[in-house]
Amino acid sequence: MDLQTEAPQNVVRDDYEHRLHQHWAEKQNDPINLLLGEADGLYHHHFATGDFDRSILDAPAEQRGRLILEEMHRMENDQVKLILDRLGPVPARARVLDAGSGRGGTSFAIHDTFGCEVDGVNFCTHHIEFAQELAERRGSAGSVRFTYANMAATPFPDASFQYIVTNETTMYVDLFEAFGEFARLLEPGGRYVLTTWCANDAVALDTPEVKAIDEHYVCHIHHRSTYFRALAAHGLAPVEVTDLTQDAIPYWELREHCDLRTGVESPFLNGHRANVLNYLTITAERVLTPTVPPH
């Protein structure tokens, strides 16, 4: 299927989204994502928190590279548990949206854990095709589906989902637009769980670290306060917020030793260490009668 020609024309909608779409097209064979997923078939496009096994840095040179990749992948798998834990006891009959689903790592982990239906949406065509093929190979294509769509303007009906997750994807969208879409899609009382890196505007408004990361990933890192304003604007009431900034540092320390490091390691490390770049998980619930004030 040619997703690019068959998809609605409004999937990639403006100049920024076209630049981002091109960026991901150019990273189709990026080895740091493909190699990490080879062991267990879970391919991620996110980072991690928690410490790593520091003994691997003393391993013989001929083993060290492989051990670092294995440890990074373990950490990325563990990062998904941040979302799984905050989703709570998801019934098997529930339906979950993974907004910005990449190659499907988070979607498959949610399905494997709870047995529920998961819909992933993404506007990167090769990610969708890759994830669809994985779903077929895993025998879960009937329960884990991937749709070529814009996560801020999906084709799903109102109140289609009981749960929505975004795993390090909100820096690619306008938060007010995306959270408005999530509020539309969630049933009243439904739960939204996100992990994100964001600029700590309690410390600084603009920093070179944030600028470097934005340029590297063609993203626009939001201020921390913007998350809470956008959630409140659309009736998504936070029930748990966890600051994991310090816990995010070891992952980047390990990546500095990886042969596949990309050059973005120092901005993340410096940003987290200086507390100008935060790493948060936020759990919110869709209130019964949201009001949407102007922003």
Side-chain angles (χ1 to χ4, degrees), residues 13 17 121 149-154 173-174 177-182:
R13 304 169 301 175
E17 290 181 352
V121 295
N150 193 304
M151 62 183 274
T154 73
V173 294
D174 177 281
E177 181 186 28
F179 290 175
E181 176 70 349
F182 298 165

Side-chain angles (χ1 to χ4, degrees), residues 115-225:
C116 58
E117 293 190 11
V118 182
D119 286 274
V121 295
N122 200 322
F123 72 13
C124 178
T125 53
H126 69 85
H127 283 177
I128 290 293
E129 292 167 346
F130 190 100
Q132 288 172 336
E133 292 176 6
L134 271 180
E136 291 288 347
R137 294 207 303 265
R138 293 168 62 93
S140 57
S143 300
V144 186
R145 299 169 293 268
F146 297 94
T147 300
Y148 179 59
N150 193 304
M151 62 183 274
T154 73
F156 304 111
D158 294 356
S160 297
F161 298 92
Q162 292 76 49
Y163 301 88
I164 295 176
V165 303
T166 54
N167 196 352
E168 299 182 12
T169 61
T170 49
M171 58 288 300
Y172 298 105
V173 294
D174 177 281
L175 293 181
F176 286 86
E177 181 186 28
F179 290 175
E181 176 70 349
F182 298 165
R184 181 185 73 81
L185 293 172
L186 275 175
E187 291 183 350
R191 176 163 285 204
Y192 169 44
V193 179
L194 70 93
T195 65
T196 191
W197 14 284
C198 56
N200 183 2
D201 48 336
V203 175
L205 293 178
D206 297 295
T207 68
E209 293 85 4
V210 167
K211 181 179 179 181
I213 296 167
D214 277 348
E215 290 177 352
H216 184 91
Y217 286 118
V218 193
C219 63
H220 40 74
I221 296 173
H222 303 290
H223 289 148
R224 186 176 68 184
S225 63

Side-chain angles (χ1 to χ4, degrees), residues 202-276:
V203 175
L205 293 178
D206 297 295
T207 68
E209 293 85 4
V210 167
K211 181 179 179 181
I213 296 167
D214 277 348
E215 290 177 352
H216 184 91
Y217 286 118
V218 193
C219 63
H220 40 74
I221 296 173
H222 303 290
H223 289 148
R224 186 176 68 184
S225 63
T226 307
Y227 278 89
F228 298 100
R229 289 193 294 111
L231 288 167
H234 294 286
L236 296 168
V239 296
E240 182 182 7
V241 179
T242 306
D243 185 343
L244 294 167
T245 302
Q246 294 304 305
D247 291 333
I249 290 173
Y251 173 83
W252 293 103
E253 291 176 332
L254 180 59
R255 258 185 67 151
E256 280 202 316
H257 295 276
C258 179
D259 293 337
L260 299 177
R261 57 189 176 275
T262 63
V264 77
E265 291 78 15
S266 290
F268 271 101
L269 268 176
N270 295 338
H272 287 324
R273 285 170 173 165
N275 197 33
V276 298

Side-chain angles (χ1 to χ4, degrees), residues 32-33 35-44 46 48 67-79 251 254:
I32 197 166
N33 295 311
L35 288 176
L36 291 177
E38 285 182 351
D40 58 5
L42 290 175
Y43 294 84
H44 301 300
H46 58 75
L67 292 172
I68 288 173
L69 290 178
E70 290 175 355
E71 187 69 349
M72 286 174 58
H73 188 59
R74 178 198 64 78
M75 296 173 75
E76 290 176 353
N77 279 341
D78 285 350
Q79 185 268 5
Y251 173 83
L254 180 59

Side-chain angles (χ1 to χ4, degrees), residues 267-286:
F268 271 101
L269 268 176
N270 295 338
H272 287 324
R273 285 170 173 165
N275 197 33
V276 298
L277 184 71
N278 287 162
Y279 191 94
L280 302 182
T281 66
I282 303 173
T283 304
E285 292 179 345
R286 169 48 159 101

